Each structure stands twice: as C-alpha cells, then as structure tokens.
Amino acid sequence: MREIVIAGNWKMNTTPFEGAMLARKVAELLSAGNGATVVTVVVCPPATHLAMAQAGIASVTTESGVKVELGAQNAHWEHKGAFTGEISASMLKFIGCRWVIIGHSERRQWFGETDETANKRLLRVIRNGLRPIFCIGETLEEREADRAFEVIERQLKIGLDGVENIGRGGLVIAYEPVWAIGTGHTATPEQAQEAHQFIRSQLSEQFSEEAAAATVIQYGGSMTPDNAGQLMACPDVDGGLVGGASLKADSFSAIVKAAAEAKGRG
Ligand code: PEP
C-alpha cells in the first residue's frame, strides 16, 4: 500500500501571522479525525513564515498527536556561500522542515530554473535527509504538439540523474501539467492517470519496478475538494500538490479527507 501525500504550496501568499494561523487551523481540522492518520499532510509556506508556521503546527500536534509536516518551496544546491537570496537545505532542516518543493513550473517559467539546476537542488535536498517533491509537467503548447510524454521523460531523466534510491519514505514526484496550475482547468482523471502511469513506467526503467511501485506520484493543478476524490481514485495518483485550495484550511483539509476516502482508507 503506497503512502498518500497531500501538500499545500502557499506560494507567495499570506502574512507571517496569517500563515501561522492557517497552519494551526489545518492541524486543528485534521486532529478532528479527517483522514490525517492515513495521509501525510505537508504545508509549504513562504520562507519568512516557516518558523511561525512551525510554532502554529506544534501548538496543536503536541496535544493531539496528529502531524502536519513543514515544507519549503525551494532550496539551493550548495551548503552555504555567496548566493544572495538563496536558502540552503541545511538551513531549512535546522528550522524544522522535512520537505522541499523542487523544480516547480513557476521556478522554471519565471526564474530560469532548468532540468539541470532542479537536479542539483534535488540531489542536495536528498543528501541533507529532506524529502523532495519533484515537480514535472508539460505546457499547453507541448501537450497540443503531442510532446507531453517526451517532455516528462526528459524532465525525469535529467532531473533524477544521480539519484540512487527512490521508493517508500523518500522522493515524491508531482505531476503538474502547467496548463492546469492556477487556471481552474484541472486535468481529467483519465489524463492524470495516463500521465501518472507513464511516469511510473519511466521510474521503473530508470530505477526498478519495485522502487517505482513504491514511489508516491502526486497530481497538481487546480485540485479542489470537488475534484480531489475523482483524481485520487485513479490507481496511480497517490496524492496532491495543492496551490490555491491550500490557502483555506477548510478546503485543504477537505482534500485530505477526500484523498483518504478515495483510497478506501477514510
Ligand atoms: C501549484 O502551485 O503547485 C498548484 C498546483 O497550484 P493550483 O492548485 O493553484 O493550481
């Protein structure tokens, strides 16, 4: 049975105080028994809010035993040095992060990230004992040109180059078709399943069938409480990377609940 991982990518939203309240509210709603014991739940606030969000989560988890884990939205490939504006994986680990999003399409689109830089960041995150959420996915132009699988294959080949192990408790892949992110045009369950199945077959070739079978593949792109159940019912969809709907504790926790129910573990 594969792990289910639902992660919230807050992007550049909320004030530090709002972030702490949001993290706390998520933990509170989950502690009411909504799937939290069977789903790994992660929140990824802006870097400036990590410590406060951690405090918000901790104030609830200590009472209830329900865990919401903390993630960052990026990490540099070096341990330290002259890299103005960057944050290292060891710094993130020090303040309580367990997860880091790597290679998000917004980083690729607006900040010049490439398959190669995403690979370097990924390797460092793994080396520091953090769990990466490695994002891949095609643009609309690429899908319309029937190049989606070619793009995914390249992103996996270069992006995971040098990774020694995948599987249970490690790296998570987020399939995020760029045309679905923040647009309201969610992939259909058929489109998601087809892509996820392809990703798993690629992982099987690059690593092993056993490792591929144990790897969590999230779907990301306009996931909401209304469509999460159908997407999560797909056999190769093991979780979600959620943007907009993670900014409201109610909708984020409803997605967690829908995910647990869709997998028959609610
Ligand atoms: C994302 O940013 O990873 C994402 C999936 O955003 P949204 O849910 O808003 O489409």
Side-chain angles (χ1 to χ4, degrees):
M1 203 159 43
R2 270 192 297 271
E3 184 184 10
I4 306 169
V5 183
I6 302 288
N9 175 13
W10 296 1
K11 311 192 187 193
M12 198 171 71
N13 291 300
T14 73
T15 65
F17 181 72
E18 287 165 351
M21 291 299 105
L22 176 55
R24 188 193 161 98
K25 187 88 197 288
V26 167
E28 277 170 358
L29 289 177
L30 295 177
S31 62
N34 299 327
T37 48
V38 291
V39 178
T40 302
V41 182
V42 185
V43 292
C44 303
T48 45
H49 306 10
L50 285 167
M52 275 181 79
Q54 174 75 320
I57 291 165
S59 64
V60 178
T61 39
T62 43
E63 291 159 24
S64 64
V66 169
K67 263 202 334 217
V68 174
E69 299 185 0
L70 194 66
Q73 298 176 16
N74 207 359
H76 196 259
W77 55 82
E78 290 295 343
H79 174 59
K80 62 177 191 161
F83 301 102
T84 303
E86 292 283 338
I87 301 175
S88 73
S90 53
M91 292 171 185
L92 295 170
K93 192 172 181 181
F94 189 78
I95 59 162
C97 280
R98 294 209 55 212
W99 295 81
V100 186
I101 299 172
I102 294 290
H104 192 281
S105 67
E106 286 154 14
R107 299 293 319 169
R108 295 175 190 257
Q109 186 178 357
W110 302 114
F111 303 101
E113 296 234 5
T114 61
D115 293 327
E116 287 76 12
T117 58
N119 172 250
K120 291 201 307 182
R121 292 178 193 270
L122 178 78
L123 292 174
R124 171 61 73 174
V125 163
I126 294 171
R127 220 174 299 144
N128 276 268
L130 294 164
R131 292 187 70 180
I133 296 177
F134 184 65
C135 303
I136 56 172
E138 80 286 356
T139 62
L140 183 60
E141 203 183 14
E142 289 161 344
R143 176 162 278 261
E144 286 179 346
D146 215 8
R147 292 184 48 230
F149 285 0
E150 174 196 322
V151 169
I152 291 171
E153 187 177 344
R154 187 203 70 222
Q155 290 172 330
L156 287 172
K157 282 244 155 64
I158 302 174
L160 302 188
D161 187 36
V163 173
E164 282 169 13
N165 291 310
I166 59 166
R168 188 175 293 278
L171 165 124
V172 165
I173 304 279
Y175 169 62
E176 299 208 299
V178 180
W179 46 270
I181 297 178
T183 60
H185 299 302
T186 318
T188 63
E190 293 73 25
Q191 286 171 323
Q193 172 56 26
E194 187 188 31
H196 282 229
Q197 201 172 2
F198 177 73
I199 291 165
R200 210 175 294 287
S201 72
Q202 288 298 303
L203 295 177
S204 181
E205 270 181 36
Q206 265 180 267
F207 297 91
S208 70
E209 201 179 322
E210 198 188 11
T215 299
V216 172
I217 307 176
Q218 295 176 316
Y219 167 80
S222 300
M223 189 182 253
T224 66
D226 290 338
N227 59 36
Q230 276 191 317
L231 288 160
M232 288 297 306
C234 300
D236 285 295
V237 177
D238 312 310
L241 181 54
V242 186
S246 71
L247 292 172
K248 293 223 159 43
D250 300 11
S251 52
F252 187 59
S253 59
I255 290 174
V256 173
K257 190 167 187 235
E261 283 172 1
K263 294 295 183 201
R265 297 185 231 167

